[in-house]
Amino acid sequence: MPLPKISEARELSDDKLSEEILAVKRKLFQLRLQKATRQLEKPHQFKHARHRLAQLLTVEEERKRAASESAKAEK
């Protein structure tokens, strides 16, 4: 299973981006719970989930910076 592409994250709307961030955080929590109870079957899912979360947070931060810069440019 290949790692997700950041271009997919950039195509999401702001609302979808926030929802996706929450979903990935929930998934990481579930994976940690499975690991603690020794029910985790696919440990590579940690890497994929952390990678996806980093991508989503990066896109969110890029959008925040762009919005603040455009607000400064308007003044």
Side-chain angles (χ1 to χ4, degrees):
M1 183 172 149
L3 292 172
K5 304 288 183 202
I6 196 162
S7 59
E8 296 170 5
R10 288 194 172 112
E11 293 172 358
L12 297 173
S13 66
D14 290 338
D15 293 333
K16 289 285 187 185
L17 186 66
S18 298
E19 290 174 14
E20 187 76 21
I21 289 171
L22 286 176
V24 173
K25 285 183 178 182
R26 283 189 197 110
K27 182 175 177 100
L28 277 170
F29 177 77
Q30 291 297 324
L31 289 171
R32 284 194 303 270
L33 186 63
Q34 288 176 3
K35 182 178 179 183
T37 59
R38 297 180 184 246
Q39 296 175 350
L40 185 63
E41 294 180 11
K42 299 177 181 177
H44 70 278
Q45 289 178 336
F46 272 111
K47 180 179 179 179
H48 289 276
R50 284 194 321 261
H51 183 80
R52 182 66 173 166
L53 182 60
Q55 288 177 335
L56 295 169
L57 292 174
T58 299
V59 170
E60 185 180 51
E61 187 62 31
E62 286 173 350
R63 290 182 184 178
K64 285 180 183 177
R65 283 189 191 146
S68 68
E69 288 176 7
S70 66
K72 286 180 184 179
E74 290 176 0
K75 289 183 180 182

